[in-house]
Amino acid sequence: LDIQRENAGVLKGILKEIKGYILPSEPEDHFHTYYNFTSRIDPSAYGWTGKPSVFRNTVLKAIQAEGVEVGIWQSYTLPEMTVFNARNAYGQGCPWSCPFSEGADEIDYTPENFPNAIKHCETHFGMTMPLRAPNRTEVAEKTALGIKKVFDNIDSLDIFELSKQ
């Protein structure tokens, strides 16, 4: 955990000044393990008004082209998963039909009811390897510099062309 936290500190130190780059947070009274380093991109910071995932995906491809191992963990919200739509988690309608789940059958899982989850799915990306031992701060620094390079040159990305690939 100490190595992960140290490496995350290097990443955050370099990435914190990037416009539209939202770093993982660590509330004052809490301890982040940095098992994953999940960040988000605010496309509106660059004047993007299209679908946020198109912008994010294009930037992600450019970051990957720099040799940085980043990816998307969740591309859709939990309410969009079959188990919630079918309400058949572990058979015969349970847990929604179980006697101790009063009102569960009335829950509305319409994805639009979860705008923050949608926003997260459309804008987040993460990484684990630069944080983990045996990787040390030099790997975290090179990782951050690869990400920074993409954002420093973001105007050279053809979002519309790259998003088609």
Side-chain angles (χ1 to χ4, degrees), residues 4-20:
Q4 288 173 198
R5 290 180 53 75
E6 184 179 11
N7 290 342
V10 170
L11 285 167
K12 289 174 82 171
I14 294 170
L15 301 174
K16 68 182 177 187
E17 301 299 324
I18 296 175
K19 176 176 75 170

Side-chain angles (χ1 to χ4, degrees), residues 12-48:
K12 289 174 82 171
I14 294 170
L15 301 174
K16 68 182 177 187
E17 301 299 324
I18 296 175
K19 176 176 75 170
Y21 193 100
I22 304 165
L23 292 163
S25 63
E26 183 174 33
E28 192 174 309
D29 297 337
H30 295 79
F31 182 89
H32 200 309
T33 65
Y34 293 103
Y35 178 78
N36 289 317
F37 192 90
T38 302
S39 304
R40 290 187 301 119
I41 300 173
D42 177 6
S44 68
Y46 295 92
W48 178 258

Side-chain angles (χ1 to χ4, degrees), residues 3 6-7 10-11 130 134-143:
I3 290 171
E6 184 179 11
N7 290 342
V10 170
L11 285 167
N135 293 328
R136 298 307 303 248
T137 56
E138 36 313 323
V139 173
E141 180 179 9
K142 288 178 182 178
T143 297

